[in-house]
Amino acid sequence: EDKVVQSPLSLVVHEGDTVTLNCSYEVTNFRSLLWYKQEKKAPTFLFMLTSSGIEKKSGRLSSILDKKELFSILNITATQTGDSAIYLCAVADAGGTSYGKLTFGQGTILTVHP
Amino acid sequence: EAGVTQSPTHLIKTRGQQVTLRCSPISGHTSVYWYQQALGLGLQFLLWYDEGEERNRGNFPPRFSGRQFPNYSSELNVNALELEDSALYLCASSLWTGMRTDTQYFGPGTRLTVL
């Protein structure tokens, strides 16, 4: 069965700090890894990663995938209070009983204080 | 472009009742997915519909069912509600471009409380 583990489970920082969120996975037929941000209800899409070593960047957020070591990191630089949210990591499996679904980690709760 | 929409926003039911949740995907998306997010737990996959057919289901009992309509909107039905069904139910949709993509876009969810 596919498994996704995120760390840390929660993190408290001050505005301006840089944070690194971790996601490790075990999946039978890896297809892609996705990061979402969940503030109140709807998780909003951040990144989809399919290839190792290629950094994806959007403003102050960036993410990279290591398919050999089976993990991904999400970096947020110069954090702002608006970054406070739950960050979710998910993997997509290419086949079998996992086809079509995303398997999510338990999430990292990030709190950014002014 | 309108995102994924869900209704209702909140629902309160009692044990043993039945409930129907609704989801409209992003225009042009043919796949709809349902997830359950119970308090303290991550998102758990429930069901996947594509082109009107159920393509996959998660480890949930048969009292969780659904369907997808010709306009690609979807319903999730839960029969014989139990207390542990209290959760946020999230719907997501994805785009079919000739090769399947995995980016699922989520709606705001329906918060179900079972008393």
Side-chain angles (χ1 to χ4, degrees), chain B residues 36-81:
Chain B
Q36 182 195 67
Q37 189 176 31
L39 196 63
L41 298 176
L43 276 76
Q44 303 292 318
F45 170 73
L46 268 165
L47 290 159
W48 170 31
Y49 291 96
D50 183 63
E51 297 285 356
E53 300 284 332
E54 181 181 300
R55 302 295 185 185
N56 200 0
R57 68 178 291 131
N59 295 325
F60 282 84
R63 56 191 186 83
F64 287 84
S65 65
R67 54 181 174 165
Q68 186 179 34
F69 299 98
N71 66 354
Y72 304 114
S73 67
S74 176
E75 283 182 353
L76 173 68
N77 298 295
V78 188
N79 294 319
L81 284 167

Side-chain angles (χ1 to χ4, degrees), chain A residues 65-79:
Chain A
L65 174 68
D66 186 326
K67 289 168 75 172
K68 183 180 175 186
E69 300 298 329
L70 307 183
F71 78 90
S72 173
I73 60 172
L74 175 68
N75 282 317
I76 308 175
T77 60
T79 52

Side-chain angles (χ1 to χ4, degrees), chain A residues 31-56:
Chain A
R31 188 177 178 92
S32 58
L33 184 144
L34 297 92
W35 284 97
Y36 289 88
K37 176 183 181 183
Q38 186 176 26
E39 291 180 83
K40 297 221 173 175
K41 285 189 176 180
T44 52
F45 171 72
L46 295 175
F47 299 111
M48 182 170 76
L49 303 152
T50 56
S51 302
S52 273
I54 299 174
E55 185 183 52
K56 292 230 173 169

Side-chain angles (χ1 to χ4, degrees), chain A residues 57-91:
Chain A
K57 204 168 165 62
S58 175
R60 297 177 293 103
L61 277 68
S62 63
S63 183
I64 197 160
L65 174 68
D66 186 326
K67 289 168 75 172
K68 183 180 175 186
E69 300 298 329
L70 307 183
F71 78 90
S72 173
I73 60 172
L74 175 68
N75 282 317
I76 308 175
T77 60
T79 52
Q80 301 171 357
T81 55
D83 295 327
S84 296
I86 301 172
Y87 289 84
L88 299 167
C89 173
V91 292

